[in-house]
Amino acid sequence: MTTRLTALLLAVSFAMTAPLSALADTFVFTAIPDQDESRLMTRFGKVADYLSEELGVEVRYIPVKSYAAAVTAFRNNEVQMAWFGGFSGVQAQRLVAGSRAIAQGVEDPAFLSYLIVNTSTDIEPAEAFPMALQGKRFTFGSRSSTSGRLMPEYFMRQATGQSPQQFFSRVGFSGDHSATIALVQSGAWDAGVVNYKVWDQAVREGQVDETRVRKVWTTPPYPDYHWVIRGDVENRFGEGFIDKVQAVLIGIEDEDILASFPRQGFIPASNDDYAPIVNTARELDLLD
Amino acid sequence: MTEQRWQTTARRFRVASLWLGLAGLLAFVVADLEIITGTPGTEIGRIATGFLSPDLAATEFIWQALANTLAFAFQGVALGIAGGFVLAVFWHHRLVRAGSAVIRAVHELFWGLIFLQLTGLSPLTGVLAIAIPYAGIFAKVFGEFLEESDQRPALALPEGSGRLTTFFYARLPLIMGPLRTYGAYRLECGLRASAILGFIGLPTLGFHLETAFRQGDYSAGAAVLYVFFLLIGTLRFWLHRRLVPVYLGAALWWAPPLSSAPEGTLRRFFTSDIVPAPLKGDGSLADLWHWFARLMMEQGLPGLWHTLVLSTAALLATAVLALLLFPLVSPRFGNRVSRGAGHLFLMIMRTTPEFLLAFILLLLLGPSMLPGIIALALHTGAIVAYLTGRFTLYLPARADRPRGLQGYAWDTLPRIYPNVLALLLYRWEIIMRETAILGILGITTLGYYVDAAFAEFRFDRALVLIGLAVALNLLVDHLSRRLRQHLRLSINSGQFAREPMP
């Protein structure tokens, strides 16, 4: 009985591949969990296959849980490249000397966040930030999210002259853009901020009850998502590898692959593009 | 025992219960309990639909996640038992007791967050995050079992018998039974902990569970949760003593406990990451004090206060729930069918992660401490009710005892009450650790700030805040131990030795 069970266990185990160990000569990347996390392995597996073919080295994707986990994996060289948000990318650049931002989405130099409210607040869409939200309950998305927290908080502080904790009666972190939409729609929170792409997609797919929740304000544009690569990859994959990766990313035209991000295409980026994020993060005391 | 003594004990219970009850009520008074009912209908409907139509295929690699959950739990608990065993042998040293208390006061999730920095996204991180706090817990339980076991066999050994000889021949055999039961119970806790470690990114069931629910994919989330229920619910059918070595071997083979972090990570963590920010530049001691004072004023003290209020209120709610629910699984009430249903209900309540309960309650009640208190109380109340129900097995049962409500009020409750109180006092400390994961409600507990510090890569701050949480836990632990001694409560001793404690 025992041996049969052991055999069964072993057989079951062999049938699956252990995804935990990293191979030394494999180029590993990750992407921050942000939008539609279903079937990540399958979708980003395709990205890995594409990169592998173009770069001529083995490429693997590993999923991560949070922004911080993505940055930690990058810092510990468990991944050599990652698709970061504005703030997590800046954290990564600062923690790993010599790392470089090499590409961003076509949409990313001018990214936006939407302020959404429950319709029971009677707040109407306007150009200016709705001051009537004073004393209401407000939720951000994830704590380290650029579009769900950092930049909206910065612009809201400019508009209100107060910290969110002073301006609102209660401030929470829903942890995710989709959760923000669900919780504002339910009325648990009066208002919240979301990544504009997540909102637009949710509306397109009919997941939003627009009699309950509406978009009322748009932030000014700011730089957001980008690819960051470790400087020391050239020791392992040869000189010029970073330029090669950059060219391959920018050359992606396959709609299927671009939809994983979701972006229309990629354009070059550099560390300097994210100076506004660094300054904002310092002002909000999220960065020393 | 004289009549006088009986009265004294009962009086002590009454007084202690009164004070705990008052503390709980006071916590409810100062807690923020605002109820906001919006229009949760749509979302609750989607959740209900999700639970009625679970979609197993929506989660890729779910079987790997299941295997990882088992592997981390088996290795972590085994290593925890080994470590706890060694510590328990030296239990008479004050330093060992204090050290054990410190490592067990840090939540598995915090250990996980620390080890993610040290050993990366690797099996070793999962194993150590469970093994270290469990070693502290096992040390305490083994140590107390040993202290309370019969000393006579050891005294009967010939003069000059070695320490180890005495331990293995005259001490250990006496406590093997309870140790085994307790180990099995701990494995269930280990499996839950292992799954929960997925919330911070380890590839266990919790990874997919949290993702699915956070993203509103309730069918996928329900399926993962059902798999988890099945795993815990069937534990007693597949967890046989003889098979444990096999499982452990399979666990080691499936996920060898290796680190995936590069060399130098450890040194970097201790020599740079956790060094307070002002000391890294050319800051003076005054800067350090300013840094520390600001951290305490803005995060430490408010966090401490909210943690204390939330956990004390939750403790009272837990007590009420446990007293109401334990008859569900007690052999003194109901019949086979009702007890079967009771067991299932309590298993579901204690296995459902608190964050999920908190999310649903947040939809229904709006953001305040209330969803947090209820979520913690439902989870812990189910555990205490389950253990209390099991205790009633060993109560003396007179043939002419009253039944039903009469029996509950005049026979069972008075007999079982000391155990309930002891369990609750043990649980206080645990509830306090659990408040860490309720950041979604915007409740600024210590765990909320620790989480923020890790997200901002400010490990210096994280360590100070964790230290504060440890201090609070030690205080509560000390308080509850004093209270238990005062009430002469022990859930390890006498007739209850065969039963596990929380």
Side-chain angles (χ1 to χ4, degrees):
Chain A
M1 173 67 204
T2 309
T3 40
R4 220 200 287 162
L5 198 81
T6 319
L8 185 74
L9 268 176
L10 291 179
V12 169
S13 311
F14 272 120
M16 309 182 274
T17 49
L20 291 165
S21 57
L23 295 166
D25 53 348
T26 307
F27 183 61
V28 188
F29 76 99
T30 190
I32 52 163
D34 193 46
Q35 195 170 0
D36 187 11
E37 288 175 55
S38 62
R39 316 207 65 81
L40 273 178
M41 291 290 282
T42 313
R43 287 192 291 130
F44 278 98
K46 273 189 214 151
V47 181
D49 290 345
Y50 175 84
L51 292 177
S52 182
E53 207 169 290
E54 296 290 317
L55 292 171
V57 297
E58 199 175 324
V59 179
R60 208 160 54 85
Y61 159 81
I62 57 168
V64 292
K65 186 84 217 164
S66 64
Y67 295 69
V71 178
T72 304
F74 185 78
R75 185 189 193 199
N76 285 346
N77 206 4
E78 289 174 87
V79 302
Q80 289 79 47
M81 181 171 79
W83 171 245
F84 284 120
F87 178 52
S88 45
V90 163
Q91 283 182 318
Q93 291 170 28
R94 285 165 54 96
L95 286 169
V96 181
S99 58
R100 283 175 49 191
I102 51 171
Q104 57 188 330
V106 173
E107 300 89 332
D108 288 301
F111 213 78
L112 304 168
S113 299
Y114 289 152
L115 176 71
I116 58 171
V117 300
N118 189 282
T119 47
S120 68
T121 57
D122 289 329
I123 291 170
E124 295 293 331
E127 280 290 307
F129 179 82
M131 294 301 284
L133 273 179
Q134 183 145 28
K136 301 278 190 202
R137 304 181 305 277
F138 174 86
T139 186
F140 288 114
S142 169
R143 234 192 277 265
S144 311
S145 165
T146 308
S147 56
R149 197 264 171 106
L150 186 79
M151 295 315 290
E153 174 167 350
Y154 175 71
F155 293 122
M156 277 160 40
R157 276 174 188 258
Q158 282 195 327
T160 63
Q162 287 175 309
S163 75
Q165 283 74 15
Q166 291 165 328
F167 184 76
F168 298 107
S169 64
R170 221 185 265 281
V171 177
F173 291 93
S174 75
D176 188 78
H177 299 296
S178 325
T180 302
I181 298 175
L183 290 167
V184 173
Q185 180 168 300
S186 83
W189 297 99
D190 292 318
V193 280
V194 288
N195 175 323
Y196 83 105
K197 279 186 157 286
V198 175
W199 171 264
D200 286 346
Q201 187 169 348
V203 170
R204 241 190 342 265
E205 290 173 2
Q207 289 168 0
V208 175
D209 178 354
E210 289 181 87
T211 62
R212 294 267 160 73
V213 55
R214 72 163 81 96
K215 156 189 131 190
V216 290
W217 181 67
T218 307
T219 62
Y222 54 86
D224 203 344
Y225 298 75
H226 54 288
W227 286 102
V228 183
I229 190 166
R230 288 178 65 99
D232 57 13
V233 286
E234 302 214 329
N235 302 341
R236 270 170 63 186
F237 298 99
E239 208 140 309
F241 186 73
I242 295 180
D243 289 341
K244 208 163 142 193
V245 175
Q246 184 179 38
V248 168
L249 288 172
I250 292 165
I252 299 179
E253 283 174 355
D254 187 325
E255 298 275 323
D256 230 25
I257 291 177
L258 290 171
S260 291
F261 292 94
R263 292 294 181 273
Q264 287 167 11
F266 291 110
I267 55 173
S270 74
N271 291 15
D272 296 336
D273 293 344
Y274 301 91
I277 303 278
V278 176
N279 295 336
T280 310
R282 282 222 180 93
E283 272 188 51
L284 301 183
D285 189 30
L286 293 172
L287 218 54
D288 283 322
Chain B
M1 233 176 256
T2 65
E3 202 181 337
Q4 185 100 40
R5 171 75 179 283
W6 274 112
Q7 278 172 0
T8 316
T9 314
R11 207 180 103 77
R12 281 183 180 167
F13 285 142
R14 278 201 298 274
V15 173
S17 308
L18 181 73
W19 281 114
L20 283 175
L22 279 179
L25 285 177
L26 190 68
F28 268 102
V29 171
V30 296
D32 154 24
L33 303 175
E34 187 187 6
I35 294 179
I36 295 140
T37 47
T39 45
T42 324
E43 200 65 18
I44 297 291
R46 291 189 53 219
I47 294 175
T49 315
F51 273 90
L52 292 175
S53 58
D55 183 0
L56 204 57
T59 306
E60 43 184 7
F61 301 106
I62 187 168
W63 304 117
Q64 262 112 329
L66 181 66
N68 289 336
T69 307
L70 283 160
F72 296 168
F74 269 100
Q75 295 182 42
V77 173
L79 195 60
I81 290 182
F85 203 78
V86 174
L87 289 172
V89 176
F90 303 101
W91 194 239
H92 47 276
H93 287 297
R94 183 189 283 267
L95 210 62
V96 169
R97 286 202 301 273
S100 308
V102 169
I103 56 174
R104 111 180 142 246
V106 179
H107 195 279
E108 292 100 63
L109 281 180
F110 292 166
W111 280 118
L113 284 168
I114 292 171
F115 279 109
L116 273 181
Q117 302 305 322
L118 297 178
T119 50
L121 264 177
S122 64
L124 187 62
T125 298
V127 172
L128 289 179
I130 297 173
I132 292 185
Y134 278 37
I137 297 169
F138 279 121
K140 174 177 169 165
V141 173
F142 293 174
E144 289 183 0
F145 275 153
L146 281 173
E147 266 176 7
E148 289 164 11
S149 68
D150 197 338
Q151 307 289 328
R152 281 171 300 185
L155 294 174
L157 284 186
E159 191 94 13
S161 302
R163 227 208 165 93
L164 280 179
T165 315
T166 316
F167 181 77
F168 280 104
Y169 283 92
R171 310 291 310 276
L172 189 60
L174 297 177
I175 59 164
M176 269 321 272
L179 284 193
R180 225 173 259 139
T181 323
Y182 186 67
Y185 171 73
R186 263 293 140 193
L187 188 71
E188 182 189 321
C189 304
L191 283 168
R192 283 202 297 257
S194 177
I196 302 254
L197 282 172
F199 296 178
I200 57 166
L202 289 166
T204 62
L205 284 175
F207 187 104
H208 304 290
L209 188 69
E210 202 261 358
T211 301
F213 279 109
R214 185 161 45 77
Q215 296 234 311
D217 190 352
Y218 299 120
S219 295
V224 182
L225 193 59
Y226 291 158
V227 169
F228 191 35
F229 286 161
L230 206 65
L231 178 69
I232 300 287
T234 58
L235 205 57
R236 63 198 165 108
F237 299 114
W238 54 265
L239 185 65
H240 293 295
R241 209 188 328 153
R242 270 167 239 264
L243 286 178
V244 167
V246 179
Y247 292 144
L248 195 57
L252 284 166
W253 175 82
W254 169 255
L258 301 171
S259 163
S260 62
E263 259 175 80
T265 313
L266 212 64
R267 189 164 39 84
R268 184 185 67 196
F269 186 77
F270 287 106
T271 59
S272 160
D273 283 358
I274 60 170
V275 175
L279 293 186
K280 274 184 227 164
D282 43 4
S284 62
L285 274 180
D287 291 336
L288 180 65
W289 169 248
H290 182 71
W291 172 84
F292 179 75
R294 195 173 147 215
L295 181 60
M296 290 302 281
M297 291 313 289
E298 288 178 2
Q299 307 191 349
L301 295 178
L304 208 58
W305 171 244
H306 289 136
T307 306
L308 200 61
V309 170
L310 183 60
S311 59
T312 312
L315 186 69
L316 177 62
T318 300
V320 173
L321 262 176
L323 290 177
L324 287 176
L325 292 180
F326 85 80
L328 285 181
V329 292
S330 166
R332 303 185 140 217
F333 303 94
N335 52 38
R336 276 182 73 97
V337 179
S338 78
R339 279 194 296 278
H343 270 294
L344 188 66
F345 172 70
L346 291 186
M347 188 277 288
I348 288 175
M349 288 319 295
R350 71 175 187 266
T351 307
T352 306
E354 288 109 320
F355 98 90
L356 189 56
L357 296 171
F359 180 77
I360 294 171
L361 290 160
L362 167 63
L363 283 169
L364 294 172
L365 304 170
S368 72
M369 269 197 190
L370 197 57
I373 294 172
I374 300 177
L376 285 171
L378 282 174
H379 182 81
T380 324
I383 293 175
V384 179
Y386 165 73
L387 293 171
T388 308
R390 298 291 303 274
F391 280 148
T392 58
L393 269 172
Y394 304 105
L395 292 182
R398 283 167 44 166
D400 64 343
R401 70 191 156 91
R403 309 281 156 150
L405 199 58
Q406 294 272 343
Y408 177 84
W410 299 104
D411 183 46
T412 310
L413 187 57
R415 287 184 196 276
I416 204 72
Y417 192 73
N419 298 84
V420 179
L421 206 55
L423 280 169
L424 285 170
L425 290 175
Y426 270 111
R427 271 281 152 186
W428 195 354
E429 176 192 340
I430 299 171
I431 292 176
M432 200 155 297
R433 293 193 302 165
E434 305 284 326
T435 58
I437 51 180
L438 296 173
I440 188 178
L441 302 173
I443 307 171
T444 50
T445 60
L446 278 175
Y448 171 95
Y449 289 119
V450 171
D451 204 31
F454 274 105
E456 292 163 17
F457 288 81
R458 284 163 160 163
F459 307 117
D460 48 350
R461 293 189 188 187
L463 243 59
V464 171
L465 295 168
I466 289 179
L468 215 55
V470 168
L472 181 63
N473 272 321
L474 293 183
L475 187 77
V476 164
D477 187 37
H478 177 74
L479 214 76
S480 86
R481 199 175 55 241
R482 287 287 296 275
L483 209 54
R484 285 200 307 271
Q485 279 168 358
H486 174 68
L487 301 172
R488 303 202 181 106
L489 289 178
S490 167
I491 53 175
N492 295 333
S493 64
Q495 63 191 336
F496 304 119
R498 277 164 294 170
E499 276 302 302
M501 49 157 271

